[in-house]
Amino acid sequence: MSTDATGAARVLSGNDASSDVKEELKKRVEALGQKLPGFRPGLAIVQVGGREDSNVYIRMKLKNAEAIGINATHVKLPRSATEVEVLLKLNELNQDPNIHGIIVQMPPDSEHYINPHTITDAVNPEKDVDGLHTMNEGHVATGDLETGFLPCTPNGVMELIKRTGVKIAGSDAVVLGRSKIVGTPMSELLKWHHATVTVCHSKTKDLEQKAAAADILVVAIGRAEMVKESWIKPGAVVIDCGINSIDDPTKKSGKRLVGDVDYKGAAKRASWITPVPGGVGPMTVIMLMRNTVLAAEKMLERLLQPKWNLR
Amino acid sequence: MSTDATGAARVLSGNDASSDVKEELKKRVEALGQKLPGFRPGLAIVQVGGREDSNVYIRMKLKNAEAIGINATHVKLPRSATEVEVLLKLNELNQDPNIHGIIVQMPPDSEHYINPHTITDAVNPEKDVDGLHTMNEGHVATGDLETGFLPCTPNGVMELIKRTGVKIAGSDAVVLGRSKIVGTPMSELLKWHHATVTVCHSKTKDLEQKAAAADILVVAIGRAEMVKESWIKPGAVVIDCGINSIDDPTKKSGKRLVGDVDYKGAAKRASWITPVPGGVGPMTVIMLMRNTVLAAEKMLERLLQPKWNLR
Ligand SMILES: NC(=O)C1=CN([C@@H]2O[C@H](COP(=O)(O)OP(=O)(O)OC[C@H]3O[C@@H](n4cnc5c(N)ncnc54)[C@H](OP(=O)(O)O)[C@@H]3O)[C@@H](O)[C@H]2O)C=CC1
Ligand SMILES: NC(=O)C1=CN([C@@H]2O[C@H](COP(=O)(O)OP(=O)(O)OC[C@H]3O[C@@H](n4cnc5c(N)ncnc54)[C@H](OP(=O)(O)O)[C@@H]3O)[C@@H](O)[C@H]2O)C=CC1
């Protein structure tokens, strides 16, 4: 966390934060192996087809898993796979005692229509380390943050906000975006950390004015650099979930990644701000790892419980 | 819907609105009986113990069911009932083909500790006409308003707001309260009707100022007449979910019911306001009836489906 040259804001680094979590997870995996020799958390990453962006995300997940000691398996299904075939595969993984976490890389890349909700809800909620099963969503919505798994991106954002030391309870938080995987669970987590939360979306009027009232502003709209300096309340914590690829002729690839926030402008007013890349992105991956380790810990606990305990 | 003598606001009557829904439901029940002679929606109301307030609510539900043609059964369990006994009873009702809707009157009045979440989640989601199962909560949170059942009080409030003709999409809505049964699903329904929603609770700062920014203000905090005239934006729609009994020596009972809003004061500024009693209360009951009819309709549809349709 360093002071950024372009403005007053301190940089809220997801690289730093995720490294810290990684070290913690290595220790937890080691402890599991000591409790039951040979035991390692198992993660299945199911991919339908072969989208290039999905390949990149999956490689990153495999690399992180390996570094932590998680046994990750890349389960590839062909583009010809139907929804029923994906469901059969998930059923098999749900039964597999060596698999503690299951994710399906979205979007599926199939020749057939595959309903993402059907897929997500076919993962056993106890193995749903993406936290996207409707049961897990219901838990988060009603403030039960213990029973299930928290969705990775919002959970990573909470970790980042906590690292600033800013008081969340009683603060005014504004979330731009209400998607199932980012905006909606984000607003719920902030609410149950006792912020007063306003959720904005494409139908919101006076968006700038609403953003400018936020002590904590989380942006997840998928619009390159839309949030400008004037949208930021002086001293606010600004979290940018956006990942947008824009043209940049100065780069070899001709492309550059930017967030949903105009970083240089916003950094002049914010107290803390996440960069893109290196902000929310690495937190999402590491929270997936943490959920997987947690799933394995819970499973081992059940395994080692006295057999006569029927509840 | 009449103009109220105490102020400018029009009265948003739950009595009127629920009568209209009642007539609609009678017709739907009749249509069911025509599709399958003798078929009637079946509702089980499970009560543990005998709290006086619960008795009153249950009588009201039974009366409404009767008027509509719903076969309602009052399933009484003694105060000595344990959680396991309640779960066994629910399991029996889940299996019963003549029961399409099941509710457990809360709070249970037992000598033993009974976890309300365990109970609510033991009702088959397809019979959960209270809309309180975690699966149903998850559906509402993520904007799937079709698959499950919507919780009764927030759903009744939406009906009332729709009757005003005020445009919900793009409006600024503020919900005071974040409980599992009222505040949280209320804010979700408003969000998925495309309002920009701010959720307030006991940790919120500047509560009055936040309320005063609302085009649509829904209050569910359980604090007698806490919301005053100055909290209301001129022209706002004000929905009062509160049911509070306060002392009133002028009444025979020595008591009087009031909402969470100071009605007379707020009515001076609001465009529409719900009275207490006769506002949200009757809507909650009638939405339970509507969910029960819907559950029966869905069941009958499944029954009458060609048998070779395996999905
Ligand atoms: N760092 C990470 O690991 C991850 C990053 N992301 C990134 O986060 C961003 C959001 O992702 P996701 O939530 O999946 O995206 P979605 O497209 O699913 O949702 C975008 C949300 O933003 C709202 N929105 C879109 N345009 C506007 C606008 N002009 N004004 C106000 N609101 C608007 C939409 O409103 P409405 O609902 O009305 O359409 C919607 O709720 C993307 O850039 C994505 O790449 C996503 C997941 C993980
Ligand atoms: N009409 C009907 O059919 C029904 C009516 N009701 C009525 O609605 C009201 C709310 O019920 P319910 O949601 O179950 O109640 P709960 O007690 O479960 O929740 C109350 C909510 O209000 C918040 N709150 C309490 N005091 C304050 C305050 N001073 N300032 C700001 N927020 C506050 C609480 O915040 P926090 O979370 O921080 O504690 C909580 O979120 C009650 O009057 C109840 O009788 C309820 C159900 C049905």
Side-chain angles (χ1 to χ4, degrees), chain B residues 42-44 73 75 88-102 124 127 299:
Chain B
L43 171 67
T73 322
V75 181
L88 287 173
K89 176 53 79 182
L90 288 176
N91 191 37
E92 195 186 308
L93 294 167
N94 281 340
Q95 312 291 332
D96 186 337
N98 294 315
I99 297 292
H100 310 107
I102 303 169
N124 178 345
K127 297 191 175 188
M299 175 78 88

Side-chain angles (χ1 to χ4, degrees), chain A residues 154-169:
Chain A
N155 197 20
V157 171
M158 290 311 303
E159 286 300 316
L160 287 174
I161 298 174
K162 285 178 190 164
R163 281 170 77 97
T164 66
V166 163
K167 193 159 174 249
I168 304 172

Side-chain angles (χ1 to χ4, degrees), chain A residues 192 194, chain B residues 57 153 176-183 200-203 207 219-223 226 241-244 260 280-281 284:
Chain A
W192 293 112
H194 309 301
Chain B
Y57 287 126
T153 301
L176 308 189
R178 59 175 167 178
S179 75
K180 184 179 172 173
I181 62 164
V182 191
C200 300
H201 44 75
S202 67
K203 306 283 193 304
L207 191 61
V219 188
I221 53 180
R223 300 270 177 265
M226 185 169 135
C241 301
I243 302 179
N244 311 287
D260 292 342
V280 174
T284 297

Side-chain angles (χ1 to χ4, degrees), chain A residues 83-84 87 117-118 121 133-139 141-142 169-172 178-180 183-184 187-188 191-201 203-206 210 215 233 311, chain B residues 83-84 87 117-118 121 133-139 141-142 169-172 178-180 183-184 187-188 191-201 203-206 210 215 233 311:
Chain A
E83 186 175 284
V84 171
L87 294 176
H117 296 284
T118 309
D121 278 353
H133 192 288
T134 303
M135 275 302 277
N136 281 325
E137 172 54 37
H139 288 309
T142 52
S171 71
D172 289 334
R178 57 174 168 178
S179 74
K180 185 177 171 173
T184 284
S187 60
E188 291 155 352
K191 175 174 79 178
W192 293 112
H193 284 79
H194 309 301
T196 300
V197 184
T198 301
V199 185
C200 300
H201 44 75
K203 306 285 194 304
T204 294
K205 63 179 182 199
D206 307 327
K210 291 194 170 74
D215 302 317
K233 178 175 173 171
R311 293 219 67 207
Chain B
E83 186 174 283
V84 171
L87 294 177
H117 296 285
T118 308
D121 278 352
H133 191 288
T134 303
M135 275 301 278
N136 281 324
E137 173 55 37
H139 288 308
T142 51
S171 70
D172 289 333
R178 59 175 167 178
S179 75
K180 184 179 172 173
T184 284
S187 60
E188 289 156 353
K191 175 174 77 177
W192 293 113
H193 283 79
H194 309 301
T196 300
V197 184
T198 302
V199 184
C200 300
H201 44 75
K203 306 283 193 304
T204 294
K205 63 179 183 201
D206 306 326
K210 290 195 170 74
D215 302 316
K233 177 174 174 173
R311 293 213 71 203

Side-chain angles (χ1 to χ4, degrees), chain A residues 7-26:
Chain A
R10 275 173 290 179
V11 179
L12 191 47
S13 163
N15 291 331
D16 291 356
S18 64
S19 297
D20 291 355
V21 178
K22 193 183 269 181
E23 292 314 308
E24 173 213 315
L25 293 181
K26 282 181 188 166

Side-chain angles (χ1 to χ4, degrees), chain A residues 57 153 176-183 200-204 207 219-223 226 240-244 260 280-282 284-285, chain B residues 192 194:
Chain A
Y57 288 127
T153 302
L176 308 190
R178 57 174 168 178
S179 74
K180 185 177 171 173
I181 63 165
V182 191
C200 300
H201 44 75
S202 67
K203 306 285 194 304
T204 294
L207 192 61
V219 187
I221 53 178
R223 301 271 177 265
M226 185 171 134
D240 186 352
C241 301
I243 302 179
N244 311 288
D260 293 341
V280 174
T284 298
V285 180
Chain B
W192 293 113
H194 309 301

